[in-house]
Amino acid sequence: MVDAEALVRPVVEGAGVELVDVAFEGTGGRRTLRVTVDRDGGIDLDAIASLSDKIARRLDLEDFGAGHYELEVSTPGIERPLRTPAQFARARGQQVKVKTTEPVEGARVHTGALVDSDDDGIVLEVDGAPRRVPIADIASARTVADWSAELKGTKV
């Protein structure tokens, strides 16, 4: 099978959008190709629909996938995963939750404000103190929304 990310990436980047993730999930008749995209300022529904059409045409031209599958193109949402140094850089100033493969300062789960990042690691403010977490030790990371502010329509 052809690599989905290799087919999707040039279409997404050609539209001036960042490819966040590509996942081909499911078995048998219920398979879904999930393409997650983002850009500074967000993406409206018309842009998602246009991008979805372009991706579908590319996949059809390249005979992607054997059998039926559904294509789902979406944004990461309010609480978004963080994987790359660029994604961490864009999330500076936001609350994040990071899980590490090994304990860092005695913990594997770290929640706090992301105050700095570079290619080697991130710095969180946890309980008022800076905590550096190496990128290589991060198992997963995501932004954490202030749901009360989101539901009220205000952001702190």
Side-chain angles (χ1 to χ4, degrees):
M1 178 185 294
V2 178
D3 178 26
E5 184 174 339
L7 294 175
V8 170
R9 182 173 295 284
V11 176
V12 171
E13 290 176 351
V17 178
E18 176 192 357
L19 181 62
V20 175
D21 192 31
V22 176
F24 198 48
E25 302 168 343
T27 59
R30 306 249 341 141
R31 297 182 312 154
T32 302
L33 177 61
R34 287 189 173 84
V35 178
T36 308
V37 297
D38 199 10
R39 75 171 160 214
D40 289 339
I43 302 175
D44 64 22
L45 190 55
D46 290 336
I48 290 283
S50 174
L51 189 56
S52 181
D53 288 343
K54 290 175 184 177
I55 291 170
R57 281 195 302 272
R58 174 73 192 266
L59 295 172
D60 288 345
L61 285 172
E62 299 291 338
D63 288 329
F64 172 77
H68 178 75
Y69 67 92
E70 293 183 24
L71 173 63
E72 179 184 292
V73 179
S74 64
T75 64
I78 293 173
E79 289 191 344
R80 51 192 61 212
L82 303 170
R83 293 186 182 95
T84 67
Q87 291 168 351
F88 282 109
R90 266 200 307 279
R92 284 185 192 143
Q94 296 183 42
Q95 287 291 115
V96 298
K97 181 176 184 177
V98 177
K99 294 180 181 178
T100 56
T101 56
E102 298 296 326
V104 174
E105 294 189 26
R108 287 186 186 219
V109 177
H110 316 272
T111 303
L114 179 61
V115 295
D116 198 10
S117 68
D118 57 36
D119 289 343
D120 298 320
I122 63 172
V123 177
L124 302 173
E125 184 176 310
V126 179
D127 298 328
R131 180 174 300 170
R132 181 152 178 88
V133 179
I135 293 275
D137 290 347
I138 296 174
S140 66
R142 66 176 171 80
T143 59
V144 177
D146 177 351
W147 286 107
S148 62
E150 290 292 336
L151 294 173
K152 291 178 185 174
T154 62
K155 293 185 180 177
V156 178

